[in-house]
Amino acid sequence: MVTTRGEARAGTTPPASIRLPGIVLGVGMGGFVDGILLHQMLQWHHMLSSTNEDRIGVKYYNPHTVSGLEMNTLWDGIFHTVCWLAVLLGLAVLYARVTHNRLRVWTSRVLWGWMLVGWGLFNLVEGVLDHHILGIHHVYAGDGQVWWDIGFLVLGALLVAGGHLLQRSGRPFDPDAPARSEGRRA
């Protein structure tokens, strides 16, 4: 029976995709980049650092006071916990789907492309939700904050597009296929 690309043969199931675990890993890793770089190292914002101007009425916790920084740090920790859980979930799903050649999947463009897509999706969802809809924080609060927030969204869109192109340029990966010997052609 002749099949077209993406169509499963009768009586067989298509190989488990690494799209979902790649995207979930990317969401978690993108959140860690945001939290570690922007929240902790650069200290540009915290989870609740703009609630004095938010759109939902969250109490303002001034990050320049000890009590305000404590509450912002607590919420940053909750944010990091969600990122950590996303990484664990992505790893668990990936481990469950990839039964052979686990080392090969980590070097595949497909996985890294999907991870970039996940990171970009994190930026887009978090940027639209927290920066624009809720207004609980901004990338860099103050003059020109809207441009920082838009730049964050543009970066997210570029990561999605670049990740999509990267995963499409990789060889399809069947996690159940046995490893091929490098010395012979398939």
Side-chain angles (χ1 to χ4, degrees), residues 119-132:
W119 181 1
L121 290 174
F122 165 82
N123 278 21
L124 292 170
V125 171
E126 196 269 341
V128 168
L129 187 63
D130 290 344
H131 306 166
H132 296 282

Side-chain angles (χ1 to χ4, degrees), residues 21-40:
I23 289 174
V24 173
L25 278 167
V27 166
M29 297 303 287
F32 276 135
V33 169
D34 177 279
I36 293 168
L37 182 65
L38 301 180
H39 295 215
Q40 295 175 322

Side-chain angles (χ1 to χ4, degrees), residues 47-114:
M47 284 306 295
L48 303 176
S49 57
S50 293
T51 54
N52 58 330
E53 301 172 358
D54 72 341
R55 294 177 181 84
I56 57 172
V58 175
K59 181 181 175 188
Y60 179 55
Y61 298 100
N62 185 342
H64 302 292
T65 66
V66 173
S67 62
L69 185 57
E70 286 174 345
M71 186 57 75
N72 273 286
T73 302
L74 171 67
W75 280 96
D76 286 350
I78 292 168
F79 170 72
H80 279 116
T81 300
V82 171
C83 296
W84 180 65
L85 291 172
V87 169
L88 287 179
L89 177 63
L91 287 172
V93 174
L94 183 64
Y95 185 82
R97 290 188 177 186
V98 178
T99 57
H100 302 316
N101 306 318
R102 288 189 173 117
L103 180 60
R104 198 173 107 216
V105 75
W106 287 105
T107 61
S108 76
R109 290 180 180 180
V110 176
L111 177 64
W112 290 98
W114 285 124

Side-chain angles (χ1 to χ4, degrees), residues 1-10 12-17 19 168 172:
M1 174 176 159
V2 177
T3 61
T4 61
R5 183 180 172 169
E7 183 182 318
R9 293 181 189 263
T12 65
T13 59
S17 171
R19 177 187 311 161
R168 285 183 54 87

